[in-house]
Structure formats: C-alpha cells, structure tokens
Amino acid sequence: MHALEDVSLTVDEGRFVALMGPSGSGKSTLLNLVSGIDRPTEGTVEVAGQSLGELDDDELADWRARHVGLVFQFFNLIPVLSALENVALPLLLTELDRSERRRRAETALRIVGLEHRLDHDPGTLSGGEQQRVAIARAIVTDPDLIVADEPTGDLDARNAEATLALLRELKRGFGKTVVMVTHDPRALRFVDEAFHLDKGLLLEGEEAERAAEALRIAAGGAAAASVPRSAG
Amino acid sequence: MKYAGLVWRNLGRNKLRSTFTAGAIALAVLLVCLLLTMPNGLDALIRDATNNTRLSVHHKAGLVYSMPASFTRKVRALDGVAAAVGQVWFGGAFEEDGKVTFPNFATEAEHFGAVYPDWPISEAELADFQRYRDGAIVGRQTAERYGWKIGQRVTLRSTVWPVSADIRIVGIINESRIPSLYIRKEYLDEALKAATGNGLGVVGVIWVRVESPELAGPVMAQIDEMSRNSEAESASETEKSFMSNFFGSLQGLARIILLVTGLVTLCIVFIAANTASMSVRERAAEIATMKAMGFGRRVLFGTLLAETVLLSAVAGGLGVSLAFGLTRALQTFARWSDGLGPLGNFYLTREVVLQGLGLSLAIGVIAGLVPALSASRKPVVEALREVF
C-alpha cells in the first residue's frame, strides 16, 4: 500500500499553495517529498531544477539547508537557546561569521515583527510568537521554498490568521514559494491555490470541487465569503 | 568552534544531572590519579630510604632462616667491604601492647654506626649504645609513638626467643620514617645463655657497606661464592632490591586497587552513557527538527559526542586538579606532621596528569559514542515520524 498514488502536480515559483485533506490522505508525505525529507519509491521530485532523487542523504541534507525553510505545527524551538539563537541555528551550516549570522537573524526576526524579543527564551513567548520565531528561522537562510506543516494547528484563531498572513507576506514581499499542509479552512483565504488529497490520491475536477465546498461550509460565515475556488 | 555554544547550552539543559555525572567522572579520575602516584611514591620512598653502598646478606632459603654468626666476620674481612653488622630478629612485644608493634632487632653495636653512617644519630648516642650492655637505640617514629625519652627503661618480651629484654633507651635515630628499635646482640646472647644454657650463635641478616657503589656487584658475588655448598648458603642483594621486595606486597595491593578502580571507572562509563542516552532521547524532537533543517549526520554526531566529551573533559580537569591539590596538601602536611609518613612522597607527575585527562576523554568518547551514533544515523523521515 502506498501513501501516495499517481500524484502529479506542479507548483510555480512564488506561489503560496495549500495541501489539504483528511488525516491519512498523504498530504504530509507529499510535503516530506517536496522538502527533500523523504524519497519517493517511484517517480521524481524536482525543486528549482534539482531532481532530489539524484542526491544521497548527505547531499539532500545540504540541499535542504540551502533551499528549504521548515515550519512545524509545534514550532520545535530549542528551549535552551534564545529567540535570536534559534533563528540563527540554520546559519551554523553556512560559512557566515558570528556577527553576520547575528545580523541576519535580527533581520529575520524584524521581518516577523519580533525585533523586541531577541533575547527571550522560547518558554517566555506566546504560542503565536513562538511560531513567528519558527518562521523567522525558516526564512533566515533565504531559501527558495518554505514548507509549513500545519503551522496554525497549535494556535488560537487570532494567531492562526496572523501566521497565515505572515506566510502570505513572505510570498508577496519576498517572492518565496510556500507549500503548506493544513486542515484549517481559514487557510483558503490566504493561499493562491489549494490541492486536495484523499487516500493518497490528488483530487481533481468535481471531486476537488466537492472537497473545497465542504471546506467552505466548515469555514462558514465571513471566512467562507472570501474562500477562492480551489484548483484541482 | 561555532557549535561550541550549542554544545555548552545543551550541557546546561539539566544542570543537576550534568553536575552529578561530572562529579562521578571527576571522582573516578581523582581515584585513578591518586593510585597512579603509588608506584612512583613507593619508588621515591625506597630511593630515599636506601643507600647504594649497602647490601643485605641473608639465607638463600629466606629471611626466617639464620646463618652462623661467624659468617659476619668472614664477610667483614673481604676486600671492598667497609663495614658489616650482623643482626637478628628479636621480635619483642612492648608490655603494654602484648604483641609486636614495631620492628626490633639485636645488632652489633660496635659495627652499627659504620654500616649506617647516613642515619641521623649522634656519635655520643652511638658511643652510649656501645658502652651500655642494656642500651638500645630507636627510630623517632616509635619513640614519639610511645613517648620514650633517652634514659627511659623499657621491657620487651621476645615472641621468638624465650627471654625478655629490660633495656634502656640511649639513642634516638632522628628520622621519622625509621620505626625500628635495636638492642645489643651481646645482651640477647647472654640472656639466652642464662635462660637456656645456649648462646645466640646465629645472625638473620648481615648488613654490609661497601667502599663504593661499583663494588656492590663484585662483593655480593664474593659473599655468595664464599657460602656456596655450606649449610647456610647466602643470597646477597642491594638494600634497594631488599626494600623493593619488601614493598612488593604493597605494589601488589596497589595493582588490586587499580583493578577495582578500573571496574569503578567502567561503571562510570555506563552511568555517563546512560545519561547521554537519556539526554538524546529527551531531545528527539529537536534532533529530528535539526535533521530536517539540514544538519547532516557528521555535524549531529559531532555535536552530540562533543557534549559528553566536553562534560568528561571538564570533570577530568576537576579530578586531576583535586588529585594535584590533595597530593600537594599531603606533601605540605607531611613536612609538619610525621604521622603522614610516606604519603608525603606521593606526587602527581606529568604522566599521571596526562593519564587522568586521557581517561576522562576516553570516558566521554565511549559514553557518548552509541547515543550520538544512533541519533545521527536515524533517517530524518523516521526521526520526524517518531516524534510528531
């Protein structure tokens, strides 16, 4: 049994897309493939002209360090490091010196609006702030691709919207390609495109329309009014 | 070096646990360092306490067998021999103790000073030893232990001969490391004649002083050749060799203690390895995140291993410092207090310092190897799946 079956999709550079679907639909597996965390048993994954299947484990890790920024549901910040040090962590894999690493980490935290929280430990930050630190960490290396796995899953409504808005801003302001896995119907208001998966299959046509409609109903109210039509 | 901050912060994550682990490693290093000073300490002790012109001559079969007293005179007549003194174990028990608590011998007073010219005893006291038939000289260690003064009378009951010796302290050998007491051989001889009708007629050990160190070998060969095929064949050896054999049992004990300490160190390795495993397990989510971010196997392995190595190195430095401080303190106190005796000879050499630090690093590497290897080798997708 395969987690994904005959899935073929293309995400254009500078787009903000969502992978949606019920639990077990294969969306996280697809995200892992796109981000070079996992390898397909069949088929190919190509990101920014690089076929990921050609890289061995060490090369893949190096590729992720240079080209991918990751945002997780539970933030996954290192509790013994300050916000600034957490953001600067991926820069340890570069040749940058200490002062340049600090400068870039400060810039990333300024972008997410946390320039006043540089020296705070993660434990002293709110959930929304922690997620913004995680996003700053994801963009600090100036990656081509940002992948976010349920980034609003552990946030309240206000912080979830702020996080989605921030991810959209990364696309708009910095031209980043953002691929996000989410259950959150509010996400449809922020993304350019949503792909729906179910039981390892990428839904297309009427099936995709029905899935999007179900999400619109789930979102309800004012949120539903601004939900764009999803791509199949 | 750029990962040093990350390594250091991770060590401080659970300060109590890190402190206890470092304490255990430091203690093991301290113990090993102190034990490693023992062979050097014993060597120094023997070196200080022996003279390279003095020889020991005893029965080939062992110290419990005696040789004819006349053999001393033959040895004394040999070329190259400056002096020789025959001695016999008296085995006297001080009446208040009821058992032998310090070594005591019957010796030839008129030859004693010539064989031990390096021992600190005044000529006047040596003269008194020769003058008084019941005279005795005693090492400062034993004199101070019992509060004996010159002129004081002491009774020793022999556990070897059927006599007691009512002696008078006439001299103190002013050296804290010498516990021995010497009575006159004539006194024992006469006491035995009175008690049994037979005199002494034997010696246990003949101490010989040769004219120069290079004569030691030829004189020993001459002595042993002289007694060949007799009823009491002799075995000659230098004083250093004699003392080394005497302390041989202590070195054996040191080896046993070293073995036990080695096993304790092994236990510390397991404890440190368990600590490292727990630390890695608790941070599984963080390690998985770092892998996903692009931290490769080598970097993760290196930083995780560096944590245990750094902790062990710090602990090793502490252990070596404690050992250094302790041995220096013993050396200092030994100058003030004779009660510490030979402990003042135990000092930390550069080799022992390096061995202690090397041991701590080895503990760190061995303890951290398996947890670091297993965490770094786990595929990133598997690591993420386990924790999210």
Side-chain angles (χ1 to χ4, degrees), chain A residues 45-210:
Chain A
V45 179
E46 196 173 301
V47 180
Q50 173 67 57
S51 176
L52 303 188
E54 294 170 0
L55 304 176
D56 64 24
D57 287 347
D58 290 333
E59 289 170 334
L60 209 49
D62 188 47
W63 177 84
R64 284 198 304 275
R66 284 186 289 113
H67 296 283
V68 183
L70 291 154
V71 181
F72 298 92
Q73 179 179 353
F74 299 111
F75 330 130
N76 298 344
L77 301 176
I78 294 181
V80 292
L81 301 181
S82 68
L84 186 77
E85 289 164 336
N86 265 288
V87 173
L89 191 62
L91 296 176
L92 289 176
L93 296 169
T94 68
E95 298 300 318
L96 299 174
D97 63 28
R98 187 187 174 88
S99 60
E100 181 61 17
R101 293 200 301 268
R102 183 182 173 88
R103 193 187 67 75
R104 292 197 186 193
E106 285 174 349
T107 302
L109 280 166
R110 196 161 44 246
I111 289 170
V112 300
L114 285 177
E115 63 272 27
H116 58 296
R117 298 286 207 187
L118 301 182
D119 297 321
H120 283 64
D121 290 338
T124 64
L125 300 174
S126 70
E129 286 174 326
Q130 287 188 55
Q131 192 57 295
R132 280 194 278 161
V133 172
I135 291 170
R137 182 178 65 185
I139 62 173
V140 75
T141 55
D142 193 23
D144 306 312
L145 174 67
I146 293 169
V147 296
D149 192 356
E150 302 279 9
T152 60
D154 205 39
L155 298 176
D156 58 33
R158 190 172 61 84
N159 278 313
E161 296 232 350
T163 297
L164 290 167
L166 182 57
L167 290 172
R168 183 175 60 190
E169 188 54 31
L170 294 178
K171 181 209 75 165
R172 285 180 178 167
F174 300 93
K176 300 297 175 194
T177 306
V178 183
V179 179
M180 172 178 68
V181 159
T182 185
H183 280 101
D184 190 347
R186 279 177 299 227
L188 295 173
R189 286 195 287 118
F190 295 87
V191 298
D192 300 318
E193 198 170 0
F195 295 97
H196 297 273
L197 290 109
D198 190 23
K199 294 174 185 165
L201 299 169
L202 186 64
L203 302 183
E204 293 179 292
E206 287 182 8
E207 284 181 317
E209 283 294 333
R210 276 199 294 276

Side-chain angles (χ1 to χ4, degrees), chain A residues 32 37-38 57-58 61-62 64-65 70 72 76-82 85 89-90 92-94 101 137, chain B residues 2-3 5-6 9-10 12-13 285-286 289-299 380-381 384-385 388:
Chain A
N32 286 342
I37 286 172
D38 205 355
D57 287 347
D58 290 333
D62 188 47
R64 284 198 304 275
L70 291 154
F72 298 92
N76 298 344
L77 301 176
I78 294 181
V80 292
L81 301 181
S82 68
E85 289 164 336
L89 191 62
L92 289 176
L93 296 169
T94 68
R101 293 200 301 268
R137 182 178 65 185
Chain B
K2 61 183 173 182
Y3 296 102
L6 181 65
R9 293 293 185 82
N10 278 327
R13 187 180 286 256
E286 289 169 32
T289 303
M290 289 176 73
K291 277 172 180 275
M293 284 196 292
F295 282 80
R297 286 177 295 188
R298 283 190 204 91
V299 172
V380 54
V381 68
L384 285 169
R385 204 173 285 142
F388 300 125

